[in-house]
Amino acid sequence: MRLPLKITKPLLGDLLVLLLGLVFVVVLFSTLWNHAPAAKVQIRLADKIYATYSLDQNRTIEIKGPIGITRILIDHGKARFASSPCPNQYCVHQGWLNHMGQAAICLPNQISLELLGGEKPFDSLNY
Amino acid sequence: MTIPKENQSIKIQTTADDHRIAKLAALAISLHLVEAILPSPLPGVKPGLANIVTLFVLYRFDFATAAWVSLLRVFASSLLLGSFLSPTFALSLSGAIFSLGVLFLGQYLPRQFFSAVSLSILAAFAHMAGQLLVVRFWLIPHAGVAYLIPIFMAAALVFGVVNGLLTNYLLNMNPSKQEG
């Protein structure tokens, strides 16, 4: 049996839905894949901002938190938890952060890193 | 020897509607199973061919039949695949419920402007949204899931269009009695 493939004219509403769908997907890509490089790292200890460092200068920072000393590494535009006395090591396993808006938190030692760009896109920690 | 009356086979009264729903659901289940063995580049990115059946039923019959076919497909396929009550089943069910919700509203769109393609795209988006909500709030409660949303939604758009076109084609091949 031969199936005739009828090409029907696309309907106006279909094109409209398709167009809106495309716009929706593009907006999702541009907002959620915001891979702008970061410029600074902000470190918080408990409820206070401990320090803000530029990511241009390599350095190791040692911070004393409630359960011990956490070491944070800044290296060529990226930052990470190098070591922490916490039991689960989630913060260390999160690895290098280099995009604006990324964050890593060590809850047991009450220390968090947040990468900032020239301008802050959104406050991910308060959100 | 005569069979005692209480041992005779039990007859369930079925209507023509029940038979139709069962046949259409069987079709949807087979499509679902074929899809389950297809490899996928990303878990969760699937064409959703079974939704063609749901859409076809919505156009040829009514919303209630489409909902029956869709939900029966979710339950029966999960039993056949051995994923009943597993996370896969939860994803499938929430996707089906969300897309049925959108189809319920979408069936009132004027037919002269909106064909099955529109409904298919909207249902695909809703299906993905329902699944992503389960992923975000139950399976992977981490904000990093957000990075995958654009990929999933792009896939939903592509497969939504393809499924919609296939549904239109099927509807043209099988004209309803009213349309002649």
Side-chain angles (χ1 to χ4, degrees):
Chain A
M1 188 173 84
R2 202 170 149 271
L3 302 174
L5 186 61
K6 241 195 295 179
I7 306 292
T8 47
K9 250 190 169 169
L11 299 177
L12 206 65
D14 287 345
L15 292 176
L16 189 72
V17 171
L18 183 61
L19 193 70
L20 287 177
L22 277 173
V23 169
F24 176 59
V25 170
V26 168
V27 166
L28 279 178
F29 268 106
S30 63
T31 51
L32 294 173
W33 278 20
N34 187 1
H35 277 191
K40 289 179 282 187
V41 56
Q42 188 177 72
I43 302 170
R44 283 169 197 252
L45 174 60
D47 56 348
K48 289 190 181 60
I49 295 174
Y50 177 85
T52 304
Y53 295 102
S54 165
L55 288 173
D56 298 333
Q57 291 154 321
N58 299 351
R59 64 168 91 218
T60 306
I61 304 139
E62 297 201 337
I63 306 169
K64 193 168 163 27
I67 62 167
I69 288 171
T70 292
R71 281 196 308 123
I72 290 159
L73 226 56
I74 299 176
D75 179 53
H76 291 99
K78 42 196 205 303
R80 72 170 297 163
F81 278 96
S83 71
S84 194
C86 54
N88 46 36
Q89 298 285 303
Y90 288 149
C91 54
V92 178
H93 288 151
Q94 199 149 354
W96 291 107
L97 311 175
N98 56 1
H99 298 311
M100 186 165 70
Q102 280 187 315
I105 307 170
C106 183
L107 278 179
N109 217 14
Q110 297 182 18
I111 292 169
S112 76
L113 301 184
E114 189 184 356
L115 297 200
L116 310 177
E119 273 173 43
K120 214 174 178 184
F122 55 88
D123 192 338
S124 59
L125 284 182
N126 286 349
Y127 174 66
Chain B
M1 188 182 146
T2 53
I3 301 164
K5 216 175 176 108
E6 60 266 27
N7 283 3
Q8 278 171 359
S9 66
I10 298 162
K11 276 256 164 66
I12 300 172
Q13 290 301 313
T14 52
T15 63
D17 277 357
D18 295 336
H19 288 273
R20 190 166 62 209
I21 287 171
K23 279 178 197 160
L24 292 163
L27 190 60
I29 291 161
S30 53
L31 283 174
H32 187 113
L33 293 180
V34 165
E35 215 171 69
I37 59 165
L38 287 176
S40 149
L42 245 180
V45 175
K46 295 242 162 187
L49 294 174
N51 295 320
I52 296 172
V53 180
T54 311
L55 274 170
F56 183 86
V57 172
L58 179 67
Y59 272 88
R60 275 295 165 264
F61 304 104
D62 54 357
F63 178 77
T65 315
W68 264 113
V69 168
S70 179
L71 294 174
L72 272 176
R73 188 257 302 169
V74 169
F75 279 88
S77 306
S78 74
L79 286 172
L80 289 169
L81 293 169
S83 63
F84 185 55
L85 297 183
S86 76
T88 318
F89 167 74
L91 288 172
S92 193
L93 184 62
S94 87
I97 289 171
F98 271 69
S99 67
L100 281 174
V102 163
L103 286 178
F104 180 72
L105 298 173
Q107 63 179 330
Y108 298 112
L109 285 171
R111 293 280 161 97
Q112 70 263 42
F113 296 120
F114 298 93
S115 75
V117 175
S118 294
L119 289 193
S120 179
I121 294 170
L122 294 173
F125 277 140
H127 197 275
M128 238 3 144
Q131 295 192 319
L132 284 167
L133 284 174
V134 170
V135 169
R136 177 62 183 83
F137 289 106
W138 181 36
L139 301 176
I140 313 172
H142 185 271
V145 170
Y147 283 103
L148 292 174
I149 293 177
I151 301 175
F152 283 141
M153 286 304 183
L157 181 62
V158 171
F159 291 130
V161 171
V162 171
N163 289 348
L165 290 172
L166 285 171
T167 310
N168 272 349
Y169 181 56
L170 285 174
L171 288 168
N172 283 332
M173 267 173 51
N174 304 280
S176 69
K177 284 167 193 104
Q178 292 96 316
E179 289 167 21

